[in-house]
């Protein structure tokens, strides 16, 4: 290849995102996918528990969520607090969206995507 062809190739890479675009290692991408999936699972379980709490409240019963281990480590009373629905809906639903984004970024990196800084 001539030097002119090499210069053109480097310029094409720069325009395609070669400078300023970064990719992640395969280990980082797998970490994002695995931890994102675990977080998504946890958000899903908490969302289901919140739904069961609301159903039990309507039926006049009580429901103890799986994250309530003992009187000291308990999440049931926290799930019923006003802060648990800060934006007008159950906060674990934010986790469903956010962890989905983390998984998508990890899968993109596994597929070879390069993101701008």
């Amino acid at each position: 290849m001539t030097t002119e062809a090499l210069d053109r190739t480097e310029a094409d890479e720069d325009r395609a995102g070669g400078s300023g675009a970064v990719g992640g290692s395969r280990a980082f991408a797998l970490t994002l996918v695995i931890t994102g999936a675990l977080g998504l699972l946890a958000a899903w379980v908490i969302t289901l528990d919140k739904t069961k709490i609301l159903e039990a409240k309507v039926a006049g019963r009580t429901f103890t969520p799986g994250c309530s281990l003992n009187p000291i480590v308990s999440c049931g009373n926290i799930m019923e607090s006003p802060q648990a629905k800060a934006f007008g809906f159950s906060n674990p639903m934010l986790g469903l969206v956010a962890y989905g984004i983390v998984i998508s970024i990890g899968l993109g990196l596994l597929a070879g995507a390069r993101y701008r800084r």
Side-chain angles (χ1 to χ4, degrees):
M1 276 177 111
T2 65
T3 55
E4 182 181 324
L6 284 174
D7 291 340
R8 230 181 300 130
T9 305
E10 290 173 0
D12 290 343
E13 286 178 3
D14 286 344
R15 278 194 297 275
S19 65
V22 293
S25 68
R26 185 168 176 81
F28 178 67
L30 284 172
T31 301
L32 285 179
V33 172
I34 292 168
T35 57
L38 292 174
L40 185 66
L41 176 65
W44 179 252
V45 168
I46 293 172
T47 301
L48 290 177
D49 281 351
K50 176 65 175 179
T51 303
K52 289 178 184 175
I53 287 173
L54 294 174
E55 288 173 352
K57 204 181 254 190
V58 168
R61 293 177 283 130
T62 59
F63 175 77
T64 304
C67 55
S68 292
L69 303 177
N70 56 42
I72 296 171
V73 179
S74 174
C75 67
N77 56 349
I78 294 170
M79 288 176 135
E80 297 181 38
S81 71
Q83 292 83 5
K85 49 183 181 256
F87 301 106
F89 55 88
S90 183
N91 288 350
M93 291 185 184
L94 291 173
L96 293 174
V97 174
Y99 287 119
I101 292 170
V102 171
I103 292 169
S104 298
I105 292 170
L107 290 174
L109 288 172
L110 282 175
R114 295 175 55 101
Y115 300 107
R116 289 187 167 212
R117 288 187 180 262

